[in-house]
Amino acid sequence: MRQRLEEALRAANADYTEIRVEQVDSSWVHFKGRELDSVGSAKTSGGIVRALVRGGWGYAAFNDLDGLDNRVRQACESARLVGGVEQSRLAEVSPVVDRVSVALDEDFRHVPLSEKKTVIEEYNEIILGYHDKIETSHVAYSDRFRKVWFANSEGTFIEDERPDASLVLSATARDGDNVQQGFETVAGKAGFVIARGHHQKARAAARRAVDLLSAPPVAGGKYTVVINPKLAGVFAHEAFGHLSESDFLYENDRMKEIMVLGKRLGSDKLSIVDDGSIDGLRGTQKYDDEGVPTRKNELIKDGILVGRLHSRETAAKMGEHPTGNARAVGYRYEPIVRMTNTYIDSGDTPFEDMIRDIDLGLYALDMVGGQTAMEMFTFSAAYGYMIRNGEIAELVRDVVLTGNVFETMMHIDLVGDTLVFPPAGGGCGKGGQSPLPVGLGGPHVRILDVVVGGR
Ligand SMILES: [Zn+2]
């Protein structure tokens, strides 16, 4: 493959050219209620050429390697048409030659679909049989093994294996018009072993859906809120992380004024990091899709904005260094600035000490939905507990947190001492590229004066 790509690159007549080729093996087993909604496997392959001529990008996608030289020429011609009008440049990086291979415990490519179905069906049966108020289930397993070859005209050649497996266990309970959900997630860069042994999680999802039927909606108001690690990770990614993506920043004058390096954006307890090099997490890759090594990138350190995420192009535009955050969701797409594994870093407060002095507050867990619009966010926690007189009290539902991300970050007064990376299913969407596997993490985090919607 290396020889094939390097030969094709010689057909290029551009300032910079790269070729990315992928082979993807995937399979899935989805149950909806009693029905096996979808089961199957697929093998796809293809690639994309990207060429830069006098600041203009040209692209040519392909499905097989026949005629690759022509694709390279086409990309160069397209680039020439926009060259001189566009002003793209690439920050310099050292060429890399590397081969990244993974050894999976129970490689999911070799596990028969029938075996996958048997395992997943057990979880589905547990959920459906848990209680007569369980109306339906959604149990979805999927895996994807991406093998990526990347070569560019600067001498970089990388062969990279990227496995990803996930399982979502979801239960829906109904009592008249009252419909509630409980779910648990498992996900990682792992083999099929990651999908085994989750009978307890299936029960937990069903139990929560049923318990929420009789839980009261939280009373709306302003509370001291403790968010769990998963919600902390969602906050780091959704509310703040996307604002750190420099392609977005570069095009947004107002955000550029706010996101000034060295400026205080949060309380001194708050540190936020994006790190694509943590072993085993869904957002982990040794190299990004421009062949730049991933690394630990501090975004906020003790409340101060200290970094942001870059591709080679945005790094050159802003006079900063590439951070290894140019990612493409698949071979049809160009790499754009994306997060990897984003987390709030741990502090020093044990969970008990966070709730001890709260007379009336809220403990919010996980997330079922939400939206952000610039610095405003609305997150629906999956469930919550009231905190009364320093102790966890009754289960509550309809927990909706809203606020301004910068005000909220200033209101963080305690950060937990234990950083965890709870499995995150689904993925991130941006610029029509979805779902991109990402990791989320954090400790428990305490925030003052949070507006909580409810009834
Ligand atoms: Zn996202």
Side-chain angles (χ1 to χ4, degrees):
M1 181 66 84
R2 181 175 182 182
Q3 205 183 348
R4 184 79 197 77
L5 298 187
E6 285 175 351
E7 258 171 40
L9 283 171
R10 273 181 227 121
N13 177 19
D15 302 323
Y16 168 86
T17 314
E18 69 184 23
I19 306 172
R20 180 158 41 87
V21 180
E22 291 190 24
Q23 261 175 17
V24 186
D25 281 68
S26 59
S27 86
W28 60 93
V29 179
H30 294 182
F31 280 94
K32 269 190 183 158
R34 294 271 160 218
E35 259 177 50
L36 182 55
D37 185 53
S38 176
V39 57
S41 62
K43 273 182 198 291
T44 56
S45 60
I48 190 165
V49 182
R50 191 168 73 140
L52 186 65
V53 178
R54 292 192 300 123
W57 283 116
Y59 304 89
F62 55 88
N63 282 318
D64 57 61
L65 292 172
D66 298 339
L68 183 56
D69 295 8
N70 283 331
R71 293 289 167 280
V72 169
R73 282 189 205 98
Q74 279 171 1
C76 295
E77 275 170 34
S78 311
R80 196 155 288 110
L81 292 176
V82 288
V85 183
E86 290 182 6
Q87 297 294 331
S88 299
R89 289 184 302 120
L90 293 177
E92 275 184 37
V93 293
S94 307
V96 174
V97 175
D98 198 359
R99 185 175 167 205
V100 183
S101 57
V102 294
L104 294 178
D105 200 356
E106 229 190 323
D107 190 329
F108 50 70
R109 290 172 297 174
H110 306 138
V111 177
L113 259 182
S114 57
E115 168 68 6
K116 292 176 182 172
K117 175 180 166 271
T118 302
V119 172
I120 305 312
E121 190 163 23
E122 280 181 24
Y123 305 142
N124 195 50
E125 291 298 324
I126 288 174
I127 291 173
L128 290 172
Y130 179 78
H131 195 280
D132 57 10
K133 291 272 196 298
I134 294 287
E135 182 181 52
T136 191
S137 61
H138 186 207
V139 178
Y141 166 82
S142 53
D143 58 42
R144 205 157 96 102
F145 195 101
R146 280 174 80 191
K147 179 143 189 177
V148 181
W149 293 266
F150 177 89
N152 71 20
S153 53
E154 297 168 345
T156 287
F157 176 80
I158 297 166
E159 196 177 319
D160 196 0
E161 295 185 337
R162 303 176 188 168
D164 183 59
S166 66
L167 170 65
V168 177
L169 304 153
S170 168
T172 304
R174 176 188 282 272
D175 188 1
D177 290 341
N178 184 1
V179 178
Q180 298 296 329
Q181 265 207 339
F183 68 90
E184 293 284 329
T185 308
V186 183
K189 257 181 146 55
F192 189 69
V193 69
I194 199 175
R196 293 192 186 274
H198 298 300
H199 306 80
Q200 290 294 350
K201 283 200 173 193
R203 264 185 287 276
R207 187 184 313 125
R208 189 164 320 115
V210 172
D211 288 352
L212 282 170
L213 286 178
S214 52
V218 63
K222 257 189 187 179
Y223 294 95
T224 297
V225 174
V226 177
I227 57 176
N228 79 335
K230 193 156 186 175
L231 199 43
V234 169
F235 181 85
H237 175 107
E238 295 292 347
F240 179 74
H242 280 291
L243 305 178
S244 300
E245 294 168 338
S246 294
D247 48 355
F248 156 79
L249 261 185
Y250 194 78
E251 289 164 1
N252 192 299
D253 288 337
R254 202 166 73 77
M255 272 303 153
K256 241 189 285 187
E257 273 169 32
I258 295 174
M259 298 286 283
V260 175
L261 296 182
K263 188 166 161 181
R264 175 165 291 282
L265 292 183
S267 82
D268 57 9
K269 304 280 184 187
L270 177 68
S271 295
I272 298 181
V273 179
D274 185 90
D275 187 347
S277 66
I278 304 169
D279 213 23
L281 299 183
R282 287 190 81 201
T284 297
Q285 282 172 213
K286 188 170 179 187
Y287 302 94
D288 73 1
D289 288 314
E290 289 183 323
V292 177
T294 57
R295 60 178 200 183
K296 179 175 179 178
N297 291 300
E298 293 184 319
L299 302 177
I300 291 184
K301 179 82 179 162
D302 303 328
I304 307 294
L305 185 72
V306 294
R308 48 190 154 226
L309 305 177
H310 282 299
S311 60
R312 291 182 66 182
E313 185 174 343
T314 63
K317 265 183 181 158
M318 297 174 82
E320 294 170 12
H321 294 289
T323 58
N325 288 88
R327 304 182 67 196
V329 78
Y331 56 80
R332 289 187 189 85
Y333 300 93
E334 62 175 315
I336 56 177
V337 181
R338 304 299 292 260
M339 284 172 268
T340 59
N341 308 298
T342 314
Y343 62 95
I344 293 182
D345 210 354
S346 55
D348 50 17
T349 309
F351 179 69
E352 305 74 53
D353 293 353
M354 288 184 152
I355 61 171
R356 184 167 296 157
D357 61 347
I358 301 176
D359 291 333
L360 178 64
L362 179 70
Y363 178 31
L365 299 93
D366 297 3
M367 179 161 121
V368 282
Q371 47 189 1
T372 57
M374 303 298 276
E375 68 259 52
M376 301 308 293
F377 67 85
T378 301
F379 293 151
S380 298
Y383 59 111
Y385 296 93
M386 298 310 297
I387 300 169
R388 296 184 190 279
N389 304 315
E391 286 182 11
I392 299 294
E394 77 275 15
L395 180 71
V396 288
R397 62 177 162 89
D398 302 340
V399 177
V400 180
L401 313 177
T402 53
N404 172 298
V405 60
F406 300 112
E407 283 171 18
T408 305
M409 292 196 301
M410 285 295 191
H411 287 170
I412 290 175
D413 81 326
L414 291 174
V415 173
D417 58 1
T418 310
L419 170 63
V420 291
F421 292 94
C428 174
K430 175 182 172 185
Q433 297 196 37
S434 174
L436 186 76
V438 293
L440 303 171
H444 281 96
V445 174
R446 190 168 94 168
I447 314 166
L448 305 175
D449 293 325
V450 180
V451 175
V452 177
R455 280 181 219 156

